[in-house]
Amino acid sequence: MKKRLLYLVVALLVAMPLFSGGTAEKGAAGPYEVKFSTENGAEDVESKALYEIKDILNKSGLFKCEVFIGGALGENDDTLEQAIQGAPIVTVSDPGRLMSFVPEFGIIQMPYMIDDISVINKLLDTEIYKNWEKQFEGQGIKLLTSNWYSGPRNFILNKPVDTPADLKGQKIRTIASPLFIESVNAMGAVATPMSWSEVYAGIEQKAIDGCEAQTPTSYASHIYEVCKYTNKTEHFQLIGCPVIGTATFDSWSKEAQDLFIKTFREVGEKYQGLVVDMIKQEEKEMTEKGMVIREVDKAPFKAAVEPVYEKLGYSELRTKIAKELGL
C-alpha cells in the first residue's frame, strides 16, 4: 500500500506541468509534455531510438518530449505504475513484464518462440493483438507498439556454457517476470531478478555469477569488463513494448495520438535492421577487449524450455499464434 501511494505521489509530481499547462483537456492543441524513461545507458539501442523519436515529435510542434536514461525516473515497473496513475511518461516494457496485466501477451516473448523478428510487424495487425490492446486499455495502459527489438539474449558469465548442465548453480540475473524466471531456471541456472543498473556491480562483487542479456545492452553497460564469455544461446528475442498511460494518451488530440503511434511503430521497424549490424560491430569490439564470443548448439536449450510452455499455459496459444504468423 505504501509503495503504491509513493507511485501516486511521484506520478502527480511528474504530471504537474501537464495539468498546470492546461493540456490535459481532451483535444487541446498542445504541445504535450512527455517524458521518455529507460533504465539503459545512452549508447543502448533503446535509448538511441527514444532520442530519435524525441526529435521527430518535438519538430512537429505537437509535443515537448524529454529522454531520461539510466533509470533516472525509476525502474521499469515503477515508471509504468506512474504512467497508469496519470504521469505523462513513456516507458519501454516487454511482454514478459506486461503479461502480469494480460497473461496471453507473454507468449510472444517465450524462449525460441520467434526466430525472425520481422514477423512481429505482421502481428500488430492481427485480431488477437488488437484484442490484447483493448485489454491493456481497460487497465489504464496504452500499448503504443510491440515491434521494438533489442536483439537475442545470451548467457554472459565467466565460464563457457554448452549445455544447461553448465549453468547449474550459476546465479544469473534476469527480468523479474514468471516468464523469464521459469525459463532461465529451466535452462539450468538460478534465476536472480534485479534491476539492470545493479548488474555490473553485482557481478563484480560476486553477488551474481552473470546475466542473460542482449548484446546492445551488455555492451553499453560494459559487462565485458566483468565477464569473460558471451555464450550465444539466443534463447529470447527481446521485444520492446513502449507504453503510456491511457489517462495521458486519451487527453490528446486525434492528430497527436496518430502521430505518436505512427512514430513509435516506424522507428521500431527501422531499428530492427540496425540492431543486427550493431550487434556485429559490438561483438567485434568486445572481442578486441578480451571477451570470448561463443556460438552454442541451441538444441539442448530448446528442449529444456519446452515444459515451460505447458507450465505457463501457452501450449495451445503457441499453436494459434504460429498459425496466425505463418511460423
Side-chain angles (χ1 to χ4, degrees):
M1 179 62 74
K2 289 182 179 179
K3 190 171 184 181
R4 190 172 185 85
L5 180 60
L6 177 61
Y7 290 154
L8 178 58
V9 171
V10 173
L12 289 172
L13 289 173
V14 174
M16 280 177 66
L18 179 71
F19 297 141
S20 62
T23 56
E25 181 183 349
K26 175 66 177 175
Y32 306 106
E33 295 186 9
V34 189
K35 295 176 169 62
F36 297 163
S37 175
T38 176
E39 290 185 56
N40 299 321
E43 294 304 310
D44 186 79
V45 62
E46 184 177 291
S47 302
K48 290 179 178 180
L50 289 174
Y51 279 117
E52 181 167 334
I53 289 174
K54 179 205 72 170
D55 291 341
I56 294 171
L57 293 177
N58 287 355
K59 285 178 182 177
S60 75
L62 286 170
F63 292 95
K64 183 179 178 181
C65 303
E66 295 180 87
V67 178
F68 294 83
I69 63 173
L73 295 183
E75 296 179 10
N76 187 288
D77 292 338
D78 297 343
T79 49
L80 175 56
E81 183 68 25
Q82 292 172 42
I84 293 171
Q85 296 296 336
I89 293 176
V90 170
T91 190
V92 185
S93 192
D94 60 76
R97 287 187 173 99
L98 292 173
M99 66 180 285
S100 63
F101 297 92
V102 179
E104 277 194 352
F105 190 64
I107 184 67
I108 60 176
Q109 187 62 85
M110 284 292 284
Y112 301 111
M113 177 68 192
I114 295 173
D115 292 323
D116 179 5
I117 200 64
S118 67
V119 303
I120 209 73
N121 300 313
K122 180 180 176 182
L123 173 71
L124 303 184
D125 297 319
T126 64
E127 286 304 314
I128 191 168
Y129 183 82
K130 291 174 183 177
N131 182 53
W132 289 337
E133 286 182 311
K134 291 177 183 177
Q135 291 182 59
F136 279 115
E137 287 170 9
Q139 299 182 68
I141 299 169
K142 180 62 182 179
L143 193 61
L144 298 171
T145 188
S146 297
N147 70 339
W148 280 34
Y149 178 56
S150 295
R153 289 171 77 91
N154 306 302
F155 285 107
I156 307 170
L157 60 166
N158 283 303
K159 64 176 290 187
V161 172
D162 292 302
T163 68
D166 296 325
L167 288 169
K168 185 177 180 180
Q170 296 292 298
K171 291 180 289 184
I172 301 297
R173 182 272 175 182
T174 191
I175 292 171
S177 155
L179 188 156
F180 286 91
I181 292 169
E182 293 288 350
S183 299
V184 170
N185 284 340
M187 286 183 281
V190 178
T192 308
M194 67 168 56
S195 170
W196 179 256
S197 62
E198 299 173 358
V199 171
Y200 185 103
I203 297 171
E204 189 174 41
Q205 296 166 12
K206 303 190 184 306
I208 54 175
D209 297 297
C211 58
E212 56 93 24
Q214 60 279 5
T215 292
T217 297
S218 68
Y219 173 83
S221 299
H222 294 211
I223 301 300
Y224 54 81
E225 294 176 352
V226 289
C227 282
K228 177 73 173 178
Y229 298 96
T230 290
N231 301 282
K232 297 184 70 174
T233 48
E234 300 184 336
H235 44 277
F236 297 123
Q237 300 283 356
L238 190 64
I239 296 167
C241 306
V243 292
I244 194 169
T246 55
T248 298
F249 186 82
D250 290 346
S251 72
W252 298 342
S253 67
K254 179 68 162 53
E255 179 187 9
Q257 291 176 343
D258 290 345
L259 176 63
F260 209 73
I261 290 177
K262 176 176 180 287
T263 305
F264 271 88
R265 182 167 176 172
E266 289 181 351
V267 169
E269 190 166 347
K270 170 186 173 180
Y271 272 75
Q272 289 170 11
L274 295 180
V275 165
V276 175
D277 294 334
M278 184 182 297
I279 289 173
K280 290 179 181 177
Q281 178 60 33
E282 289 171 347
E283 285 183 346
K284 179 176 180 293
E285 291 182 25
M286 288 193 297
T287 298
E288 292 170 352
K289 295 176 185 293
M291 175 167 265
V292 179
I293 312 293
R294 304 181 68 253
E295 297 294 333
V296 178
D297 178 10
K298 299 177 183 62
F301 295 93
K302 288 182 178 180
V305 298
E306 194 63 26
V308 181
Y309 280 87
E310 185 67 32
K311 187 170 186 177
L312 296 181
Y314 285 152
S315 294
E316 291 184 12
L317 185 58
R318 173 168 58 170
T319 302
K320 181 180 179 181
I321 294 290
K323 184 177 181 181
E324 187 94 28
L325 297 180
L327 300 178

